[in-house]
């Protein structure tokens, strides 16, 4: 998009948000389905479009730390992480929540999830709107997240007044969600920002076990295609599609997440290839082993949930 086309598109999106309508919004992680964070009726439309349980709260997207602080003051640990990693694939769950992010968007919790996305189109829309927008991934609840505008349209396009095309998502996995309340920071959802990068700044993260019920994106079955998913597969069986990593993949049903064994590339391809494999109507989707280091932690988290295992 050139600058003039971009600003027309941004204006259209802002008008839709102001009217309480939904917007398909590109971010660097996955495509979101966005609405005015303060407008409970608009937020209700998001839950309806996704078929999402109302107890599962949404992330409020902001341009930067200053806009976040107007929603809820960031505790020191959260401020450190925001300064280090925003804009980027990091969501901070902090105590608070006034009217800026309505009760329904927070699912009635006394915490609020905040993220500053890095994608220039998301930044432009939020800046022009001037206030936070809530945006869950634009998939129907339980399905893989969309990483391009066509996949987003297929999932929830009929509920959106405007869809912005920002190209394929560079990260391809949802943001890492960190809970920062009293005490240590907790990893609520592994994601596009590696644990090691966060721990290098603030030390070891606590596990999410106690909070797991409060971050339902961690519940099985999630991120799931229609075909069953079979993990740790050394080779495909008859009729199976095959997602490989770092090994040679052959045949019409094979997709290579990263021939060179690069986890960043595999993350960017994961949901796109899961969907592409699913479209072939295979008896199952076999996935070769993926190392658990770096972004592999989040990739394996999504794959276990796609396969229906409780994490
Ligand atoms: O990368 C992303 O985060 C994408 C893009 C669009 O920004 N959004 C996204 O939103 O993945 P969603 O709604 O699909 O996932 C939000 C996750 C869920 O697991 C939800 O339970 C958790 O964040 N969450 C939101 N508010 C929370 C809160 N107050 N406490 C604990 N978990 C929360
Ligand atoms: Mg989601």
């Amino acid at each position: 998009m050139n600058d003039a086309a971009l600003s027309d598109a941004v204006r259209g999106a802002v008008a839709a948000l102001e009217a309480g309508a939904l917007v398909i919004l590109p971010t660097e992680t996955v495509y979101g389905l966005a609405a005015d964070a303060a407008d409970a009726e608009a937020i209700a439309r998001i839950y309806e479009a996704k078929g999402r349980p109302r107890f599962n709260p949404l992330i409020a997207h902001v341009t930067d730390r200053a806009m976040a602080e107007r929603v809820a003051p960031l505790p020191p640990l959260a401020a450190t992480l925001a300064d280090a990693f925003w804009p980027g694939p990091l969501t901070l769950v902090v105590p608070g929540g006034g009217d800026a992010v309505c009760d329904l968007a927070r699912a009635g919790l006394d915490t609020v999830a905040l993220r500053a996305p890095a994608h220039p189109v998301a930044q432009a829309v939020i800046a022009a709107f001037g206030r936070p927008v809530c945006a869950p991934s634009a998939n129907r609840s339980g399905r893989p997240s969309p990483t391009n505008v066509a996949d987003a349209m297929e999932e929830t396009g009929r509920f959106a007044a405007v869809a912005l095309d920002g190209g394929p998502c560079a990260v391809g996995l949802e943001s890492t969600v960190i809970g920062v309340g009293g005490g240590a920071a907790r990893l609520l959802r592994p994601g596009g920002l590696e644990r090691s990068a966060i721990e290098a700044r603030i030390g070891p993260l606590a596990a999410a076990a106690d909070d797991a019920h409060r971050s339902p994106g961690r519940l099985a079955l999630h991120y799931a295609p229609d075909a069953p998913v079979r993990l740790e597969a050394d080779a495909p069986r008859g009729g199976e599609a095959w997602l490989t990593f770092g090994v040679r993949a052959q045949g019409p049903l094979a997709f290579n997440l990263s021939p060179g064994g690069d986890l960043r590339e595999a993350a960017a391809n994961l949901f796109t290839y899961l969907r592409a494999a699913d479209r072939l109507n295979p008896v199952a989707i076999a996935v070769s082993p993926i190392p658990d280091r770096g972004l592999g932690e989040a990739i394996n988290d999504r794959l276990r949930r796609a396969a229906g295992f409780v994490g």
Side-chain angles (χ1 to χ4, degrees):
M1 262 191 272
N2 63 32
D3 283 358
L6 177 63
S7 54
D8 275 355
V10 168
R11 266 195 296 277
V14 169
L17 293 171
E18 282 168 350
L22 307 187
V23 171
I24 286 183
L25 186 71
T27 86
E28 77 281 24
T29 58
V30 301
Y31 274 72
L33 185 65
D36 180 349
D39 181 343
E41 273 182 45
I43 297 299
R45 279 184 203 111
I46 290 185
Y47 282 94
E48 198 176 273
K50 282 182 61 77
R52 179 173 177 122
R54 300 246 173 164
F55 59 76
N56 191 357
L58 308 179
I59 297 169
H61 293 65
V62 294
T63 48
D64 55 11
R65 184 176 156 196
M67 192 186 278
E69 299 266 7
R70 291 201 286 277
V71 175
L74 300 189
L77 214 48
T80 299
L81 291 174
D83 288 342
F85 299 114
W86 280 0
L90 172 69
T91 294
L92 297 166
V93 175
V94 301
D99 296 339
V101 179
C102 67
D103 214 50
L104 181 58
R106 289 183 285 104
L109 297 175
D110 53 7
T111 54
V112 60
L114 295 161
R115 168 165 120 79
H119 196 293
V121 173
Q123 276 285 332
V125 169
I126 302 164
F129 187 55
R131 296 185 284 114
V133 299
C134 280
S137 49
N139 52 284
R140 298 268 305 159
S141 191
R143 303 246 318 137
S145 298
T147 50
N148 56 64
V149 74
D151 290 346
M153 286 303 291
E154 186 180 307
E155 290 283 329
T156 54
R158 66 185 187 282
F159 299 98
V162 172
L164 298 178
D165 185 355
C169 298
V171 176
L173 288 175
E174 304 82 354
S175 61
T176 301
V177 182
I178 302 286
V180 182
R186 287 178 183 280
L187 180 63
L188 300 181
R189 177 179 75 179
L193 180 64
E194 295 171 23
R195 170 199 288 273
S196 60
I198 298 169
E199 293 188 332
R201 293 278 174 167
I202 62 166
L205 290 167
D210 297 346
D211 291 320
H213 66 287
R214 301 184 72 177
S215 200
R218 293 183 49 84
L219 301 178
L221 226 161
H222 228 87
Y223 314 105
D226 291 334
V229 173
R230 185 169 71 83
L231 303 180
E232 308 287 333
D234 290 327
R237 298 174 186 152
E240 281 184 342
W242 194 27
L243 251 56
T244 66
F245 175 80
V247 298
R248 194 181 301 278
Q250 278 167 332
L253 301 187
F255 299 84
N256 203 323
L257 290 169
S258 173
D262 176 354
L263 288 163
R264 201 161 288 280
E265 183 183 24
N269 287 332
L270 179 67
F271 287 132
T272 315
Y273 288 1
L274 266 180
R275 283 173 183 279
D278 206 25
R279 285 193 189 102
L280 302 173
N281 290 317
V283 298
I285 301 171
V287 187
S288 62
I290 292 174
D292 222 28
R293 65 186 147 76
L295 285 179
E297 183 180 15
I299 294 172
N300 284 320
D301 172 82
R302 302 302 187 273
L303 284 170
R304 277 193 299 273
R305 289 166 206 289
F309 294 117
V310 182

